[in-house]
Amino acid sequence: MKYTKTKAVLNQLVADLSQMSMIIHQTHWYMRGPNFLKLHPLMDEFMEEIDSQLDVISERLIALDGSPYSTLKEMAENTKIQDWPGEWDKTTPERLVHLVDGYRYLEDLYQHGIEVSDVEKDFSTQDIFIGLKTAIEKKIWMIQAELGSAPEIDE
C-alpha cells in the first residue's frame, strides 16, 4: 500500500479542518463589540476557505484510495484542535487568539504533511500541502495584524 503516512496526515486534516470550521463558526456566532460589522462577515469567508481546504484534502485522500472521516463522532474523536463551549464569556480578541492557535496547529500539520509526502514521494499531495499551508500562514498574519501583533510565523 502506497502513501500510508501521507494518507494518515490527510485524514487527520479531515478531522482538524472540520473542527476548525466549527470554531470559526462559533466565533462568527458569539462575536460582539468593536469591529463586529467588519469581522462578522469576514468569518464567513474564513469558513468558506477552510471548508474548501477540507474538500480538497478529502478528495485527495479518496483519490489515493483512502477513506476520509465522515461522521461527527469520527471528527470529534480524532481532532486535536481544542474547542470551547458556546458561551458569551469570551471577548472577540480572545476568540481571535483561539483562531490563531487553531491555524498555527494546522500550519504545523501541513508542514508535517509536506515532510511525510516528500519521504513517500507523493509530490502531488505535497504540492497541495504547500499551497494550503501558505494560505493558513496568510490567515495567521491577518488575524495577528487585527490583534496588533506580528505574524510570528518564523518562530
Side-chain angles (χ1 to χ4, degrees):
M1 185 169 281
K2 290 175 74 173
Y3 310 134
T4 305
K5 292 179 182 178
T6 298
K7 287 192 272 189
V9 173
L10 287 164
N11 224 0
Q12 185 62 53
L13 278 160
V14 169
D16 293 328
L17 289 167
S18 297
Q19 174 77 343
M20 190 65 181
S21 180
M22 199 71 243
I23 289 170
I24 297 167
H25 219 134
Q26 185 184 64
T27 300
H28 176 79
W29 288 334
Y30 283 85
M31 184 177 289
R32 288 186 175 161
N35 295 322
F36 173 85
L37 291 176
K38 175 182 78 173
L39 294 172
H40 187 75
L42 186 61
M43 292 302 111
D44 285 325
E45 293 175 27
F46 283 19
M47 279 185 289
E48 286 174 17
E49 182 177 23
I50 287 294
D51 291 344
S52 176
Q53 287 188 17
L54 175 59
D55 195 49
V56 168
I57 292 297
S58 299
E59 289 175 353
R60 181 63 185 163
L61 181 55
I62 292 167
L64 295 176
D65 292 321
S67 300
Y69 301 129
S70 59
T71 67
L72 291 174
K73 182 179 179 186
E74 289 174 311
M75 306 302 180
E77 289 175 347
N78 290 286
T79 188
K80 294 186 174 125
I81 297 178
Q82 178 189 3
D83 62 7
W84 288 344
E87 298 172 350
W88 294 102
D89 64 335
K90 304 281 190 229
T91 65
T92 297
E94 288 172 317
R95 291 190 179 281
L96 293 178
V97 167
H98 188 54
L99 288 182
V100 169
D101 290 343
Y103 279 119
R104 287 195 193 283
Y105 167 79
L106 291 172
E107 175 193 21
D108 290 344
L109 186 53
Y110 277 125
Q111 181 60 44
H112 178 63
I114 291 165
E115 293 163 8
V116 166
S117 59
D118 190 56
V119 170
E120 294 186 328
K121 300 194 182 318
D122 179 5
F123 302 121
S124 297
T125 303
Q126 185 181 57
D127 185 56
I128 293 168
F129 288 153
I130 291 168
L132 297 180
K133 180 181 182 243
T134 301
I136 292 293
E137 290 173 341
K138 183 176 180 181
K139 284 294 178 280
I140 292 168
W141 160 58
M142 294 174 80
I143 297 170
Q144 286 288 92
E146 175 65 26
L147 292 168
S149 299
E152 300 172 349
I153 290 171
D154 63 345
E155 293 182 11

